[in-house]
Amino acid sequence: MNPFHHKDGELYAEDVPLRRIAEDVGTPCYVYSSAAITERYQRYATSLSGLNARIYYSVKANSNQAVIATLGRLGAGADVVSVGEMYRALKAGIAAKDIVFAGVGKTRDEMVAALQAGIHQFNVESRGELLTLNETAVSLGKRAPTVLRINPDVDAKTHAKISTGKAENKFGIDIAHAAEIYAEAASLPGIEIIGLACHIGSQLLDIAPYRSAFAKLADLTRQLRGSGLTVGRIDLGGGIGVSYRGEQTISIDDYTTAVMETVGNLGVQLEMEPGRSIVADAGLLLAKVINVKEGVSRKFVIVDAAMNDLIRPALYEAYHEILPIRAPGDDARVERVDVVGPICESGDLFAEQRPMPPVSPGDLVAFCTAGAYGAVMASTYNTRPIAPEVMVKGGEYQVVRPRLSYDTMIGQDVVPSWL
Ligand SMILES: *Cc1c(COP(=O)(O)O)cnc(C)c1O
């Protein structure tokens, strides 16, 4: 289902006209569909139901508590990469026993907080981190439930900035050293070594890299078991891509088949950490055209959203479909325009030479597929208030994060007493 559709010439989120949200809340503004988030989660839950598998929603894709709580009610756990995300997940009602803590640079303080909270699992990414976690746990009189994140050295064939499973990436333990470190982990008093993990990247559109990564984990599992070690759990990470511009992506059923055929008969508990594929196309960024400027060689559509609201185009050269809220007539001509924000950076560019129906100042537009890695990456650059977030459910909607006020934003600074 697509939660965003035109009805009587206007773009709706479920049963709410986006124009109404824009008038009520202002622009720029993120809008999420509760029904779409639910459906995307259920797709995983249904497809994986025949396996001993559990879903830990990757909170970094969209950490609004409304989103986490929606998924928590459906039975999801949370995959966090910082203690801040752990606190958010707890606040949103996810129990500590349903939280997985991943990330390449956990600090000792973060380990203490997560051990005291009693989380489900630490995904450890290096020998150094393993030793620190061991010491920290021992000092608290605890044992840390741990899986080792393996870097399987496969090319996920995704954007360089979101590829994480190649030997030259900073993530995970080299597969060549994994057995040795796993054996060491089994001997440490503060570590309860449970199994293995991997996460090879994000926005994967091809199943082949998953297959080879999972097959390598299966081989490693057999090798470890052969030397008398116990492997009871495998965390398969996240990363399934979404269609930003009509590209073919991985079907969840194909993914499940790949899982079954590689690690399905090891008798381990399986975990997945999807983020983007649950929330990306359940959200959009609503913006208003401020001005249309005729340059010497190009036409610029200047909108009131900017790279501080949605940094993906600037950071990853990402493509977001841009839809006018008022559906263009069938005979509308199309012109090529650059869609830009007001920030003083040439990189504040959402789309270059994009064919669009003509728009005028005051018109509303939507940046589609912005539910993941959108609001979470927002900043106040250029002293722009963080955009509000709205969640729609049927014919209802609520502001789930208000716009940051100028007073709050500016009130954070402290002028030193010597001035
Ligand atoms: C980011 C991340 C995920 C989620 O990736 P998506 O591409 O959003 O599904 C899962 N696991 C880990 C360890 C991550 O860092």
Side-chain angles (χ1 to χ4, degrees), residues 58 60 79 81 102 149 199 202-203 238-240 273-276 373:
S58 181
K60 78 176 191 288
D79 161 47
V81 291
R149 175 171 174 182
H199 170 69
S202 198
Q203 186 55 15
I240 292 187
E273 305 169 341
R276 186 192 309 269
Y373 306 105

Side-chain angles (χ1 to χ4, degrees), residues 44-369:
Y44 271 101
T46 308
S47 185
L48 297 166
S49 61
L51 293 166
N52 176 15
R54 181 100 219 271
I55 298 163
Y56 294 84
Y57 165 62
S58 181
V59 163
K60 78 176 191 288
N62 186 323
S63 60
N64 191 296
Q65 288 176 58
V67 173
I68 303 174
T70 299
L71 290 162
R73 299 290 162 85
L74 297 169
D79 161 47
V80 305
V81 291
S82 72
V83 140
E85 284 190 350
M86 180 187 83
Y87 293 138
R88 262 177 196 274
L90 290 170
K91 187 86 194 299
I94 307 282
K97 64 168 182 48
D98 296 324
I99 295 178
V100 167
F101 190 0
V104 71
K106 300 173 201 75
T107 65
R108 204 177 278 264
D109 286 349
E110 288 185 307
M111 291 175 184
V112 168
L115 282 164
Q116 278 168 341
I119 63 164
H120 171 64
Q121 168 184 307
F122 289 85
N123 294 14
V124 163
E125 301 219 9
S126 65
R127 178 166 180 269
E129 183 181 62
L130 179 71
L131 299 180
T132 308
L133 181 60
N134 175 55
E135 276 168 33
T136 311
V138 167
S139 74
L140 295 172
K142 293 186 187 292
R143 287 187 90 197
T146 300
V147 301
L148 293 189
R149 175 171 174 182
I150 306 304
N151 184 325
D153 194 19
V154 299
D155 185 353
K157 299 197 180 65
T158 181
H159 190 280
K161 287 187 180 153
I162 49 177
S163 177
T164 56
K166 283 202 283 184
E168 61 266 35
N169 296 133
K170 70 181 176 185
F171 299 98
I173 292 170
D174 274 349
I175 192 149
H177 300 125
E180 194 186 320
I181 297 175
Y182 198 95
E184 183 177 7
S187 72
L188 297 172
I191 299 291
E192 181 196 355
I193 188 74
I194 299 172
L196 301 170
C198 73
H199 170 69
I200 58 174
S202 198
Q203 186 55 15
L204 271 74
L205 297 174
D206 181 3
I207 194 73
Y210 277 124
R211 275 189 181 276
S212 56
F214 299 166
K216 286 187 179 192
L217 289 196
D219 286 345
L220 179 59
T221 299
R222 286 185 280 264
Q223 182 193 339
L224 293 168
R225 286 178 173 171
S227 47
L229 295 157
T230 304
V231 181
R233 195 184 286 168
I234 297 184
D235 181 340
L236 301 167
I240 292 187
V242 300
S243 179
Y244 285 97
R245 55 186 311 177
E247 59 274 58
Q248 185 71 29
T249 181
I250 299 168
S251 86
I252 310 257
D253 285 341
D254 286 353
Y255 174 85
T256 301
T257 304
V259 170
M260 288 201 305
E261 291 176 1
T262 50
V263 293
N265 55 9
L266 294 171
V268 292
Q269 187 183 7
L270 296 171
E271 299 177 341
M272 275 109 212
E273 305 169 341
R276 186 192 309 269
S277 51
I278 291 186
V279 289
D281 58 9
L284 53 72
L285 174 63
L286 195 54
K288 188 185 278 175
V289 176
I290 299 175
N291 204 349
V292 179
K293 175 174 160 182
E294 297 280 356
V296 180
S297 59
R298 295 186 169 199
K299 193 165 181 173
F300 297 98
V301 171
I302 305 167
V303 296
D304 65 358
M307 65 189 285
N308 75 301
D309 302 303
L310 177 64
I311 202 175
R312 299 190 66 259
L315 191 59
Y316 313 121
E317 290 125 9
Y319 180 100
H320 287 271
E321 192 83 44
I322 306 172
L323 290 180
I325 299 308
R326 189 191 314 283
D330 292 338
D331 55 349
R333 62 202 161 79
V334 166
E335 53 186 10
R336 285 187 184 273
V337 295
D338 284 11
V339 181
V340 303
I343 282 186
C344 303
E345 297 266 353
S346 297
D348 186 22
L349 173 71
F350 288 112
E352 215 175 344
Q353 294 298 289
R354 177 75 61 90
M356 291 235 323
V359 289
S360 314
D363 284 355
L364 294 169
V365 294
F367 294 88
C368 301
T369 326

